[in-house]
Amino acid sequence: QVQLVESGGGLVQAGGSLRLSCAASGTIFSINTMGWYRQAPGKQRELVATITGSGSTNYADSVKGRFTISRDNAKNSEYLQMNSLKPEDTAVYYCNADIRVYQWQNNFHSYWGQGTQVTVSS
């Protein structure tokens, strides 16, 4: 059984920084794209950033230049460094990973973490 566990959320003042971590555990053959998403109260879940297995990254326009996504393939982990945080960044942040559990599987399946709260005060 695959689990994704996030950590690193919290309360920070505007202009501050936080670093989120997400570790995948369980039976894992390989991980393709990993990503971070967020959901603010009353809004739909939205993409924050993604990173492929080869390290190519993609960011939402709202976080470009402020957030950096990275991964450690040896640890089946991904990270989100968030700088210059704004009150509008307040949300529950979820990690996501496309995982191939067994070598004989042809497809990757999408897994989600439980979410971690990030609150930015003005």
PDB file of all heavy atoms in Angstrom, residues 3-4 6 12 20-22 27-28 34-35 43 47-48 60-61 64 67 74 84 86 99-100 105 107 111-112 115 122:
ATOM      1  N   GLN A   3       1.627   5.198   0.529  1.00  0.00           N
ATOM      2  CA  GLN A   3       1.215   6.359   1.310  1.00  0.00           C
ATOM      3  C   GLN A   3       2.102   7.541   0.976  1.00  0.00           C
ATOM      4  O   GLN A   3       3.310   7.388   0.799  1.00  0.00           O
ATOM      5  CB  GLN A   3       1.315   6.072   2.808  1.00  0.00           C
ATOM      6  CG  GLN A   3       0.174   5.249   3.360  1.00  0.00           C
ATOM      7  CD  GLN A   3       0.179   5.209   4.880  1.00  0.00           C
ATOM      8  OE1 GLN A   3       1.226   5.071   5.493  1.00  0.00           O
ATOM      9  NE2 GLN A   3      -0.999   5.334   5.480  1.00  0.00           N
ATOM     10  N   LEU A   4       1.472   8.719   0.917  1.00  0.00           N
ATOM     11  CA  LEU A   4       2.210   9.975   0.776  1.00  0.00           C
ATOM     12  C   LEU A   4       1.955  10.785   2.031  1.00  0.00           C
ATOM     13  O   LEU A   4       0.789  10.995   2.399  1.00  0.00           O
ATOM     14  CB  LEU A   4       1.751  10.758  -0.445  1.00  0.00           C
ATOM     15  CG  LEU A   4       2.450  10.488  -1.788  1.00  0.00           C
ATOM     16  CD1 LEU A   4       2.257   9.054  -2.216  1.00  0.00           C
ATOM     17  CD2 LEU A   4       1.952  11.443  -2.842  1.00  0.00           C
ATOM     18  N   GLU A   6       2.805  14.378   3.980  1.00  0.00           N
ATOM     19  CA  GLU A   6       3.351  15.736   3.894  1.00  0.00           C
ATOM     20  C   GLU A   6       3.762  16.219   5.284  1.00  0.00           C
ATOM     21  O   GLU A   6       3.222  15.788   6.295  1.00  0.00           O
ATOM     22  CB  GLU A   6       2.331  16.727   3.322  1.00  0.00           C
ATOM     23  CG  GLU A   6       1.828  16.412   1.937  1.00  0.00           C
ATOM     24  CD  GLU A   6       0.387  15.986   1.944  1.00  0.00           C
ATOM     25  OE1 GLU A   6      -0.061  15.468   2.989  1.00  0.00           O
ATOM     26  OE2 GLU A   6      -0.297  16.144   0.904  1.00  0.00           O
ATOM     27  N   VAL A  12       2.797  31.517   9.056  1.00  0.00           N
ATOM     28  CA  VAL A  12       3.938  32.386   8.774  1.00  0.00           C
ATOM     29  C   VAL A  12       3.411  33.765   8.394  1.00  0.00           C
ATOM     30  O   VAL A  12       2.301  33.884   7.867  1.00  0.00           O
ATOM     31  CB  VAL A  12       4.809  31.788   7.651  1.00  0.00           C
ATOM     32  CG1 VAL A  12       4.049  31.735   6.338  1.00  0.00           C
ATOM     33  CG2 VAL A  12       6.119  32.545   7.501  1.00  0.00           C
ATOM     34  N   LEU A  20       7.827  22.701   2.394  1.00  0.00           N
ATOM     35  CA  LEU A  20       7.003  21.515   2.526  1.00  0.00           C
ATOM     36  C   LEU A  20       7.770  20.295   2.032  1.00  0.00           C
ATOM     37  O   LEU A  20       8.540  20.384   1.079  1.00  0.00           O
ATOM     38  CB  LEU A  20       5.715  21.662   1.721  1.00  0.00           C
ATOM     39  CG  LEU A  20       4.843  22.879   2.015  1.00  0.00           C
ATOM     40  CD1 LEU A  20       3.569  22.824   1.174  1.00  0.00           C
ATOM     41  CD2 LEU A  20       4.515  22.974   3.485  1.00  0.00           C
ATOM     42  N   SER A  21       7.540  19.179   2.689  1.00  0.00           N
ATOM     43  CA  SER A  21       8.137  17.914   2.284  1.00  0.00           C
ATOM     44  C   SER A  21       7.041  16.879   2.101  1.00  0.00           C
ATOM     45  O   SER A  21       5.993  16.935   2.749  1.00  0.00           O
ATOM     46  CB  SER A  21       9.125  17.424   3.344  1.00  0.00           C
ATOM     47  OG  SER A  21      10.164  18.339   3.544  1.00  0.00           O
ATOM     48  N   CYS A  22       7.295  15.933   1.212  1.00  0.00           N
ATOM     49  CA  CYS A  22       6.359  14.834   0.984  1.00  0.00           C
ATOM     50  C   CYS A  22       7.155  13.579   0.709  1.00  0.00           C
ATOM     51  O   CYS A  22       7.996  13.565  -0.194  1.00  0.00           O
ATOM     52  CB  CYS A  22       5.445  15.148  -0.192  1.00  0.00           C
ATOM     53  SG  CYS A  22       4.347  13.795  -0.668  1.00  0.00           S
ATOM     54  N   THR A  27       5.049  -0.138  -1.218  1.00  0.00           N
ATOM     55  CA  THR A  27       5.574  -0.854  -2.376  1.00  0.00           C
ATOM     56  C   THR A  27       5.588   0.087  -3.570  1.00  0.00           C
ATOM     57  O   THR A  27       4.539   0.506  -4.043  1.00  0.00           O
ATOM     58  CB  THR A  27       4.713  -2.088  -2.700  1.00  0.00           C
ATOM     59  OG1 THR A  27       4.673  -2.935  -1.551  1.00  0.00           O
ATOM     60  CG2 THR A  27       5.293  -2.853  -3.880  1.00  0.00           C
ATOM     61  N   ILE A  28       6.793   0.431  -4.034  1.00  0.00           N
ATOM     62  CA  ILE A  28       6.941   1.391  -5.128  1.00  0.00           C
ATOM     63  C   ILE A  28       8.002   0.881  -6.089  1.00  0.00           C
ATOM     64  O   ILE A  28       9.141   0.653  -5.683  1.00  0.00           O
ATOM     65  CB  ILE A  28       7.350   2.778  -4.600  1.00  0.00           C
ATOM     66  CG1 ILE A  28       6.244   3.361  -3.708  1.00  0.00           C
ATOM     67  CG2 ILE A  28       7.638   3.719  -5.770  1.00  0.00           C
ATOM     68  CD1 ILE A  28       6.643   4.624  -2.989  1.00  0.00           C
ATOM     69  N   MET A  34       5.723  14.156 -10.033  1.00  0.00           N
ATOM     70  CA  MET A  34       5.292  14.515  -8.682  1.00  0.00           C
ATOM     71  C   MET A  34       4.839  15.970  -8.704  1.00  0.00           C
ATOM     72  O   MET A  34       5.307  16.753  -9.533  1.00  0.00           O
ATOM     73  CB  MET A  34       6.421  14.329  -7.674  1.00  0.00           C
ATOM     74  CG  MET A  34       7.006  12.936  -7.658  1.00  0.00           C
ATOM     75  SD  MET A  34       8.283  12.697  -6.397  1.00  0.00           S
ATOM     76  CE  MET A  34       7.257  12.355  -4.961  1.00  0.00           C
ATOM     77  N   GLY A  35       3.939  16.305  -7.801  1.00  0.00           N
ATOM     78  CA  GLY A  35       3.446  17.676  -7.835  1.00  0.00           C
ATOM     79  C   GLY A  35       2.862  18.128  -6.520  1.00  0.00           C
ATOM     80  O   GLY A  35       2.667  17.332  -5.595  1.00  0.00           O
ATOM     81  N   LYS A  43     -12.755  27.310  -2.641  1.00  0.00           N
ATOM     82  CA  LYS A  43     -12.196  27.282  -3.993  1.00  0.00           C
ATOM     83  C   LYS A  43     -11.861  25.855  -4.401  1.00  0.00           C
ATOM     84  O   LYS A  43     -11.737  24.960  -3.565  1.00  0.00           O
ATOM     85  CB  LYS A  43     -10.946  28.161  -4.070  1.00  0.00           C
ATOM     86  CG  LYS A  43     -11.224  29.643  -3.860  1.00  0.00           C
ATOM     87  CD  LYS A  43      -9.982  30.465  -4.110  1.00  0.00           C
ATOM     88  CE  LYS A  43     -10.252  31.952  -3.976  1.00  0.00           C
ATOM     89  NZ  LYS A  43      -9.033  32.772  -4.256  1.00  0.00           N
ATOM     90  N   LEU A  47      -3.408  23.518  -9.291  1.00  0.00           N
ATOM     91  CA  LEU A  47      -2.012  23.127  -9.444  1.00  0.00           C
ATOM     92  C   LEU A  47      -1.100  24.230  -8.926  1.00  0.00           C
ATOM     93  O   LEU A  47      -1.327  25.405  -9.187  1.00  0.00           O
ATOM     94  CB  LEU A  47      -1.708  22.875 -10.918  1.00  0.00           C
ATOM     95  CG  LEU A  47      -0.243  22.704 -11.299  1.00  0.00           C
ATOM     96  CD1 LEU A  47       0.270  21.362 -10.823  1.00  0.00           C
ATOM     97  CD2 LEU A  47      -0.066  22.844 -12.804  1.00  0.00           C
ATOM     98  N   VAL A  48      -0.072  23.836  -8.190  1.00  0.00           N
ATOM     99  CA  VAL A  48       0.960  24.772  -7.757  1.00  0.00           C
ATOM    100  C   VAL A  48       2.225  24.551  -8.581  1.00  0.00           C
ATOM    101  O   VAL A  48       2.752  25.486  -9.186  1.00  0.00           O
ATOM    102  CB  VAL A  48       1.270  24.610  -6.262  1.00  0.00           C
ATOM    103  CG1 VAL A  48       2.423  25.524  -5.851  1.00  0.00           C
ATOM    104  CG2 VAL A  48       0.030  24.878  -5.419  1.00  0.00           C
ATOM    105  N   ALA A  60       2.497  27.220 -11.535  1.00  0.00           N
ATOM    106  CA  ALA A  60       1.392  28.137 -11.735  1.00  0.00           C
ATOM    107  C   ALA A  60       1.944  29.554 -11.822  1.00  0.00           C
ATOM    108  O   ALA A  60       2.937  29.877 -11.147  1.00  0.00           O
ATOM    109  CB  ALA A  60       0.403  28.028 -10.580  1.00  0.00           C
ATOM    110  N   ASP A  61       1.317  30.384 -12.629  1.00  0.00           N
ATOM    111  CA  ASP A  61       1.799  31.755 -12.797  1.00  0.00           C
ATOM    112  C   ASP A  61       1.872  32.495 -11.467  1.00  0.00           C
ATOM    113  O   ASP A  61       2.760  33.323 -11.241  1.00  0.00           O
ATOM    114  CB  ASP A  61       0.895  32.513 -13.766  1.00  0.00           C
ATOM    115  CG  ASP A  61       1.058  32.062 -15.202  1.00  0.00           C
ATOM    116  OD1 ASP A  61       2.086  31.416 -15.516  1.00  0.00           O
ATOM    117  OD2 ASP A  61       0.158  32.337 -16.014  1.00  0.00           O
ATOM    118  N   LYS A  64       5.282  31.560  -9.680  1.00  0.00           N
ATOM    119  CA  LYS A  64       6.565  31.616 -10.399  1.00  0.00           C
ATOM    120  C   LYS A  64       7.483  32.667  -9.787  1.00  0.00           C
ATOM    121  O   LYS A  64       7.058  33.776  -9.488  1.00  0.00           O
ATOM    122  CB  LYS A  64       6.317  31.935 -11.876  1.00  0.00           C
ATOM    123  CG  LYS A  64       5.849  30.756 -12.701  1.00  0.00           C
ATOM    124  CD  LYS A  64       5.648  31.154 -14.163  1.00  0.00           C
ATOM    125  CE  LYS A  64       5.150  29.974 -14.978  1.00  0.00           C
ATOM    126  NZ  LYS A  64       4.873  30.352 -16.385  1.00  0.00           N
ATOM    127  N   PHE A  67       8.202  30.162  -5.567  1.00  0.00           N
ATOM    128  CA  PHE A  67       8.212  28.768  -5.126  1.00  0.00           C
ATOM    129  C   PHE A  67       9.173  27.953  -5.978  1.00  0.00           C
ATOM    130  O   PHE A  67       9.326  28.212  -7.186  1.00  0.00           O
ATOM    131  CB  PHE A  67       6.818  28.152  -5.245  1.00  0.00           C
ATOM    132  CG  PHE A  67       5.782  28.697  -4.287  1.00  0.00           C
ATOM    133  CD1 PHE A  67       6.018  29.824  -3.512  1.00  0.00           C
ATOM    134  CD2 PHE A  67       4.558  28.063  -4.167  1.00  0.00           C
ATOM    135  CE1 PHE A  67       5.066  30.322  -2.644  1.00  0.00           C
ATOM    136  CE2 PHE A  67       3.594  28.540  -3.298  1.00  0.00           C
ATOM    137  CZ  PHE A  67       3.847  29.673  -2.547  1.00  0.00           C
ATOM    138  N   ALA A  74      16.029   9.071  -4.716  1.00  0.00           N
ATOM    139  CA  ALA A  74      16.517   8.011  -3.842  1.00  0.00           C
ATOM    140  C   ALA A  74      15.664   7.870  -2.593  1.00  0.00           C
ATOM    141  O   ALA A  74      15.574   6.793  -2.006  1.00  0.00           O
ATOM    142  CB  ALA A  74      17.965   8.285  -3.451  1.00  0.00           C
ATOM    143  N   SER A  84       8.714  34.465  -0.036  1.00  0.00           N
ATOM    144  CA  SER A  84       7.888  35.663  -0.273  1.00  0.00           C
ATOM    145  C   SER A  84       6.404  35.328  -0.221  1.00  0.00           C
ATOM    146  O   SER A  84       5.626  35.709  -1.102  1.00  0.00           O
ATOM    147  CB  SER A  84       8.248  36.284  -1.631  1.00  0.00           C
ATOM    148  OG  SER A  84       9.616  36.616  -1.691  1.00  0.00           O
ATOM    149  N   LYS A  86       2.492  35.139   0.488  1.00  0.00           N
ATOM    150  CA  LYS A  86       1.439  36.142   0.507  1.00  0.00           C
ATOM    151  C   LYS A  86       0.195  35.569   1.196  1.00  0.00           C
ATOM    152  O   LYS A  86       0.004  34.341   1.189  1.00  0.00           O
ATOM    153  CB  LYS A  86       1.081  36.550  -0.923  1.00  0.00           C
ATOM    154  CG  LYS A  86       2.241  37.055  -1.753  1.00  0.00           C
ATOM    155  CD  LYS A  86       1.801  37.315  -3.186  1.00  0.00           C
ATOM    156  CE  LYS A  86       2.961  37.806  -4.038  1.00  0.00           C
ATOM    157  NZ  LYS A  86       2.538  38.058  -5.453  1.00  0.00           N
ATOM    158  N   ILE A  99       2.582   6.900  -9.511  1.00  0.00           N
ATOM    159  CA  ILE A  99       3.420   5.805  -9.039  1.00  0.00           C
ATOM    160  C   ILE A  99       3.080   4.497  -9.748  1.00  0.00           C
ATOM    161  O   ILE A  99       1.906   4.160  -9.924  1.00  0.00           O
ATOM    162  CB  ILE A  99       3.259   5.634  -7.514  1.00  0.00           C
ATOM    163  CG1 ILE A  99       3.772   6.891  -6.799  1.00  0.00           C
ATOM    164  CG2 ILE A  99       4.008   4.400  -7.013  1.00  0.00           C
ATOM    165  CD1 ILE A  99       3.543   6.894  -5.300  1.00  0.00           C
ATOM    166  N   ARG A 100       4.120   3.799 -10.115  1.00  0.00           N
ATOM    167  CA  ARG A 100       3.995   2.436 -10.639  1.00  0.00           C
ATOM    168  C   ARG A 100       4.400   1.511  -9.508  1.00  0.00           C
ATOM    169  O   ARG A 100       5.568   1.492  -9.105  1.00  0.00           O
ATOM    170  CB  ARG A 100       4.905   2.287 -11.853  1.00  0.00           C
ATOM    171  CG  ARG A 100       4.766   0.995 -12.630  1.00  0.00           C
ATOM    172  CD  ARG A 100       5.681   1.064 -13.866  1.00  0.00           C
ATOM    173  NE  ARG A 100       5.841  -0.203 -14.536  1.00  0.00           N
ATOM    174  CZ  ARG A 100       6.731  -0.417 -15.501  1.00  0.00           C
ATOM    175  NH1 ARG A 100       7.518   0.556 -15.896  1.00  0.00           N
ATOM    176  NH2 ARG A 100       6.805  -1.598 -16.063  1.00  0.00           N
ATOM    177  N   GLN A 105       3.216  -3.761 -13.941  1.00  0.00           N
ATOM    178  CA  GLN A 105       2.139  -2.835 -14.279  1.00  0.00           C
ATOM    179  C   GLN A 105       2.528  -1.961 -15.468  1.00  0.00           C
ATOM    180  O   GLN A 105       3.684  -1.548 -15.599  1.00  0.00           O
ATOM    181  CB  GLN A 105       1.814  -1.938 -13.096  1.00  0.00           C
ATOM    182  CG  GLN A 105       1.072  -2.626 -11.978  1.00  0.00           C
ATOM    183  CD  GLN A 105       0.733  -1.676 -10.847  1.00  0.00           C
ATOM    184  OE1 GLN A 105       1.522  -0.803 -10.525  1.00  0.00           O
ATOM    185  NE2 GLN A 105      -0.428  -1.866 -10.243  1.00  0.00           N
ATOM    186  N   ASN A 107       0.718   0.915 -16.192  1.00  0.00           N
ATOM    187  CA  ASN A 107       0.284   2.286 -15.952  1.00  0.00           C
ATOM    188  C   ASN A 107       0.761   2.806 -14.600  1.00  0.00           C
ATOM    189  O   ASN A 107       1.038   2.042 -13.685  1.00  0.00           O
ATOM    190  CB  ASN A 107      -1.246   2.360 -15.972  1.00  0.00           C
ATOM    191  CG  ASN A 107      -1.814   1.945 -17.302  1.00  0.00           C
ATOM    192  OD1 ASN A 107      -1.260   2.250 -18.348  1.00  0.00           O
ATOM    193  ND2 ASN A 107      -2.926   1.228 -17.261  1.00  0.00           N
ATOM    194  N   TYR A 111      -1.545   9.125  -6.671  1.00  0.00           N
ATOM    195  CA  TYR A 111      -1.738   9.048  -5.225  1.00  0.00           C
ATOM    196  C   TYR A 111      -1.646  10.442  -4.628  1.00  0.00           C
ATOM    197  O   TYR A 111      -0.890  11.299  -5.121  1.00  0.00           O
ATOM    198  CB  TYR A 111      -0.672   8.147  -4.592  1.00  0.00           C
ATOM    199  CG  TYR A 111      -0.813   6.694  -4.969  1.00  0.00           C
ATOM    200  CD1 TYR A 111      -0.251   6.215  -6.145  1.00  0.00           C
ATOM    201  CD2 TYR A 111      -1.515   5.801  -4.154  1.00  0.00           C
ATOM    202  CE1 TYR A 111      -0.380   4.880  -6.501  1.00  0.00           C
ATOM    203  CE2 TYR A 111      -1.640   4.472  -4.502  1.00  0.00           C
ATOM    204  CZ  TYR A 111      -1.075   4.017  -5.690  1.00  0.00           C
ATOM    205  OH  TYR A 111      -1.207   2.690  -6.036  1.00  0.00           O
ATOM    206  N   TRP A 112      -2.389  10.627  -3.524  1.00  0.00           N
ATOM    207  CA  TRP A 112      -2.452  11.936  -2.869  1.00  0.00           C
ATOM    208  C   TRP A 112      -2.079  11.822  -1.394  1.00  0.00           C
ATOM    209  O   TRP A 112      -2.382  10.819  -0.744  1.00  0.00           O
ATOM    210  CB  TRP A 112      -3.859  12.518  -2.955  1.00  0.00           C
ATOM    211  CG  TRP A 112      -4.275  12.901  -4.332  1.00  0.00           C
ATOM    212  CD1 TRP A 112      -4.897  12.112  -5.251  1.00  0.00           C
ATOM    213  CD2 TRP A 112      -4.099  14.175  -4.950  1.00  0.00           C
ATOM    214  NE1 TRP A 112      -5.114  12.821  -6.408  1.00  0.00           N
ATOM    215  CE2 TRP A 112      -4.629  14.093  -6.250  1.00  0.00           C
ATOM    216  CE3 TRP A 112      -3.548  15.385  -4.534  1.00  0.00           C
ATOM    217  CZ2 TRP A 112      -4.618  15.171  -7.144  1.00  0.00           C
ATOM    218  CZ3 TRP A 112      -3.546  16.459  -5.416  1.00  0.00           C
ATOM    219  CH2 TRP A 112      -4.074  16.347  -6.701  1.00  0.00           C
ATOM    220  N   GLY A 115      -2.710  16.216   3.043  1.00  0.00           N
ATOM    221  CA  GLY A 115      -2.756  17.677   3.054  1.00  0.00           C
ATOM    222  C   GLY A 115      -2.108  18.275   4.279  1.00  0.00           C
ATOM    223  O   GLY A 115      -2.130  17.681   5.369  1.00  0.00           O
ATOM    224  N   SER A 122      -1.283  38.556   7.279  1.00  0.00           N
ATOM    225  CA  SER A 122      -0.881  39.843   6.695  1.00  0.00           C
ATOM    226  C   SER A 122      -0.318  40.782   7.743  1.00  0.00           C
ATOM    227  O   SER A 122      -0.365  40.533   8.937  1.00  0.00           O
ATOM    228  CB  SER A 122      -2.086  40.495   6.020  1.00  0.00           C
ATOM    229  OG  SER A 122      -3.134  40.655   6.939  1.00  0.00           O
TER     230      SER A 122
END
